[in-house]
Amino acid sequence: MTMKQHVAQLQKLWQLQELEQKILQQEQGLQNIASTKDYRQKKQDYQAFQENLKKDEEELAAAKKRQRRKELELQTTMELLARLQQKLYSGEIKNIRELEGLEKKVQVKQKEKSKLEDDILLLMESIEGKEQAVLILQKLQKEEYEKLQRLKARAQKDTVNARGKLHDLNGRHAALRQEIDGALLKKYTEMSRRGGRCISRVQQGLCGICNVSLPSSFRARMLTPGQYVFCENCGSLLVPGDC
Ligand SMILES: [Zn+2]
């Protein structure tokens, strides 16, 4: 192996390490895409909003049902009242007691009718208010849904982009590995086990990882084919960076 090849191999190994850092960052980034977080939050808010609206709609439907029931009841009461009044004023009942009893019944039914009318009026007012509120909320729901869809589209686009970048990086990584000598890769794998960066690019005589100043004798050793030189301070494998 020539000196040039030796240096090229070391530099490729350093590039491999840097690529791996980028891949790691990209993987973490993929888990933390801002638009995806926005979308998830918005989706939760939207679901809560939807549930509230549903409750309001159910309440409105229940109030309308109550109104219809009261109206039917009113109709029955009015029919009965009409029959009682007809009987009362027909003159066919001569017995005073019977007449008084009938008169009482009419009064009771009139009270019932009046009470039902009041109830219906109150219900109508409450329904009208509820209906307006529900209408506003339904319109808002439509808008919120559209906003949610826009956020979803953006999150999907960002995710696809980030995955694409990661895919490219992985491709470059695989290609670069092919260019590096197996024994050197094995050494790198062993060194990597301690975690973090372990390949240091030396520039201007400084270790690229711990920044310590390296003796000038290191330079010649780094350039010697087959020689692996390590930083005495941080233990990283040194790679000539500016030659
Ligand atoms: Zn160092």
Side-chain angles (χ1 to χ4, degrees):
M1 194 186 277
T2 65
M3 181 188 90
K4 210 173 159 186
Q5 283 168 336
H6 170 74
V7 170
Q9 281 286 300
L10 287 173
Q11 285 178 341
K12 276 177 183 167
L13 189 62
W14 178 80
Q15 281 169 9
L16 190 77
Q17 169 188 260
E18 296 309 299
L19 253 180
E20 283 170 3
Q21 294 293 321
K22 264 193 192 163
I23 287 170
L24 214 64
Q25 269 178 18
Q26 189 65 25
E27 278 170 348
Q28 283 165 354
L30 199 59
Q31 304 301 316
N32 291 299
I33 296 174
S35 56
T36 304
K37 283 186 174 170
D38 283 355
Y39 170 61
R40 283 201 200 111
Q41 181 60 50
K42 187 82 196 165
K43 198 175 165 187
Q44 269 185 9
D45 294 349
Y46 180 74
Q47 277 166 349
F49 177 84
Q50 230 178 355
E51 274 166 34
N52 281 332
L53 176 58
K54 206 180 149 205
K55 233 184 270 167
D56 288 348
E57 285 170 339
E58 282 167 359
E59 273 175 26
L60 178 62
K64 280 183 176 173
K65 213 172 158 184
R66 267 205 306 281
Q67 188 194 353
R68 275 196 299 276
R69 219 169 42 221
K70 292 264 182 196
E71 278 167 352
L72 279 176
E73 226 179 296
L74 178 63
Q75 205 185 334
T76 313
T77 307
M78 280 166 74
E79 280 164 12
L80 183 60
L81 187 61
R83 278 203 303 276
L84 289 173
Q85 280 170 331
Q86 202 190 14
K87 206 174 167 189
L88 182 65
Y89 303 122
S90 66
E92 63 188 54
I93 296 162
K94 309 288 183 208
N95 183 306
I96 292 291
R97 271 217 178 140
E98 209 181 319
L99 215 53
E100 275 174 3
L102 191 57
E103 214 166 329
K104 244 181 201 161
K105 260 190 194 169
V106 166
Q107 278 169 5
V108 168
K109 283 295 152 193
Q110 268 170 339
K111 261 189 192 163
E112 274 178 30
K113 175 181 172 259
S114 168
K115 170 88 169 58
L116 279 168
E117 281 169 345
D118 287 350
D119 287 354
I120 289 169
L121 205 65
L122 275 175
L123 267 170
M124 278 166 79
E125 277 169 15
S126 135
I127 285 169
E128 203 178 322
K130 276 199 179 88
E131 242 165 358
Q132 276 172 1
V134 164
L135 265 173
I136 290 168
L137 288 176
Q138 281 171 338
K139 197 172 163 240
L140 197 61
Q141 185 194 30
K142 219 180 139 199
E143 288 167 12
E144 292 300 302
Y145 180 75
E146 280 160 13
K147 266 189 216 164
L148 185 69
Q149 292 313 104
R150 281 199 292 275
L151 278 180
K152 187 182 181 178
R154 209 174 72 202
Q156 278 173 340
K157 198 177 140 209
D158 289 351
T159 304
V160 167
N161 274 344
R163 285 216 182 103
K165 269 185 200 159
L166 186 60
H167 182 80
D168 290 349
L169 287 172
N170 278 323
R172 274 166 60 197
H173 181 261
L176 192 58
R177 261 185 85 93
Q178 295 290 319
E179 296 174 23
I180 302 171
D181 180 61
L184 189 56
L185 276 177
K186 204 174 155 212
K187 194 163 199 59
Y188 172 58
T189 308
E190 280 164 19
M191 289 180 72
S192 300
R193 285 207 185 106
R194 60 180 196 186
R197 281 184 168 91
C198 59
I199 312 296
S200 162
R201 188 168 63 159
V202 178
Q203 277 175 312
Q204 288 159 356
L206 299 175
C207 171
I209 289 182
C210 73
N211 246 355
V212 89
S213 177
L214 301 160
S216 55
S217 62
F218 273 49
R219 184 173 164 77
R221 284 175 53 210
M222 276 194 296
L223 298 178
T224 310
Q227 276 250 22
Y228 295 127
V229 189
F230 298 89
C231 171
E232 284 176 341
N233 185 46
C234 70
S236 308
L237 176 62
L238 300 174
V239 170
D242 43 8
C243 59

